[in-house]
Amino acid sequence: MLVTGASRGIGAAAARQAAARGWDVAVNYTRDAAAAEAVAADVRAAGQRAFVVRADVADEAQVLAMFAAIDGEIDAGRLAPLGGLVNNAGVVDLPARVDEMSGARIERMFRINVFGSIWCAREAVKRLSIKHGRSGGSIVNLGSAASRLGSPGQYVDYAASKGAIDVFTLGLAREVAAEGVRVNAVRPGIIETDIHASGGLPERARQLAPQVPMQRAGSADEVAAAIVWLLSDEASYTTGSVLDVTGGR
Ligand code: NAP
């Protein structure tokens, strides 16, 4: 499978858990090559093959080059044929009201979180769908509970981008359901990763924990468990679903 944004956080946890379940993993990242290599080393330590591939999913040409590179590895027998995609790469931004947001910020948010996910899903469907002569597979998109909550005063643009992911998941799932491809989304709540620091709020997960019915933030591994289940044959009749992993929030 290909996991986008797999150098840390939820993507890294998904890559490691996938390897433990017998998947070869293409580990995508943008900036931190050493972190991506460390995840790949863990995949190999679990007995699976790993391929580290740098690509900014916000750039369509880089997405196409990433899939071509993965095709090359598969053709050379260094990776199993593609069976799954985890559309995990995603970003937040600094807290702001909508009337304070620059056009560049909003465009970046949608290019990474929405366009990147759709471009990657498109390329995956070409390589998974029976209609394209392939043998099927599974796609998991990363949404967010923000699509239900709206994130006012913090990042409404992020919440809207994740709303797009919910709808894209439903539509694509129904489009390819008869072609051996399942498409689902996992919608995390407040998860302890570096994403909060990247949005200028390093303490966010701890600060919001009391608002969670379970009274704590979740871990990347708790989200990854839902991702790898949806990717597995155990979820063979599950498509078009959006699975909340939010501690009840
Ligand atoms: P994270 O710790 O910030 O990790 C983000 C990952 O995405 C990194 O591996 C990063 O790689 C990569 N990435 C960022 N921009 C990219 C791009 N343009 N192209 C390719 N890779 C890119 O985030 P996380 O918390 O694990 O979040 C993962 C997903 O879950 C995101 O879609 C996020 O919106 C969603 N989510 C998270 C939470 C939460 O509370 N953590 C809640 C709801 C939803 P580099 O560092 O190498 O650039």
Side-chain angles (χ1 to χ4, degrees):
M1 73 170 69
L2 165 63
V3 184
T4 66
S7 58
R8 61 170 190 267
I10 293 166
R16 292 187 177 105
Q17 289 192 26
R21 282 183 168 238
W23 292 85
D24 289 351
V25 185
V27 176
N28 161 252
Y29 73 103
T30 37
R31 283 169 303 194
D32 194 343
E37 289 292 352
V39 173
D42 289 343
V43 168
R44 293 183 188 113
Q48 298 304 127
R49 293 171 290 188
F51 175 57
V52 175
V53 57
R54 184 178 188 283
D56 179 350
V57 299
D59 180 337
E60 186 180 10
Q62 292 189 38
V63 168
L64 292 175
M66 170 170 67
F67 275 89
I70 292 168
D71 289 344
E73 292 300 297
I74 294 167
D75 291 346
R78 290 192 290 267
L79 280 179
L82 194 71
L85 164 68
V86 183
N87 253 330
N88 169 78
V91 293
V92 295
D93 211 318
L94 300 178
R97 287 168 48 97
V98 172
D99 54 13
E100 297 166 345
M101 290 176 187
S102 69
R105 167 195 166 125
I106 297 166
E107 185 171 337
R108 169 181 173 268
M109 188 75 75
F110 274 72
R111 285 189 80 84
I112 297 173
N113 294 2
V114 183
F115 294 2
S117 294
I118 296 177
W119 288 328
C120 287
R122 179 191 67 197
E123 295 310 307
V125 166
K126 290 178 191 170
R127 290 159 176 84
L128 300 175
S129 168
I130 290 165
K131 176 175 173 283
H132 291 281
R134 305 302 175 103
S135 47
S138 176
I139 297 173
V140 175
N141 298 319
L142 266 292
S144 170
S147 73
R148 289 190 278 104
L149 302 169
S151 307
Q154 193 154 56
Y155 30 60
V156 170
D157 51 349
Y158 172 77
S161 77
K162 293 300 187 177
I165 291 299
D166 290 355
V167 179
F168 178 64
T169 300
L170 177 68
L172 182 63
R174 292 179 174 180
E175 193 164 282
V176 298
E179 300 172 15
V181 183
R182 294 181 300 102
V183 185
N184 294 286
V186 170
R187 205 156 55 175
I190 298 161
I191 309 301
E192 192 77 68
T193 72
D194 293 343
I195 203 169
H196 309 293
S198 73
L201 302 170
E203 297 302 317
R204 182 171 180 268
R206 270 179 295 282
Q207 283 168 352
L208 292 184
Q211 293 180 21
V212 179
M214 287 180 73
Q215 298 290 299
R216 65 172 178 85
S219 70
D221 270 325
E222 288 175 309
V223 180
I227 293 170
V228 296
W229 176 74
L230 284 168
L231 282 160
S232 78
D233 289 342
E234 291 167 27
S236 55
Y237 199 55
T238 303
T239 197
S241 294
V242 176
L243 178 54
D244 284 317
V245 182
T246 61
R249 187 165 181 249

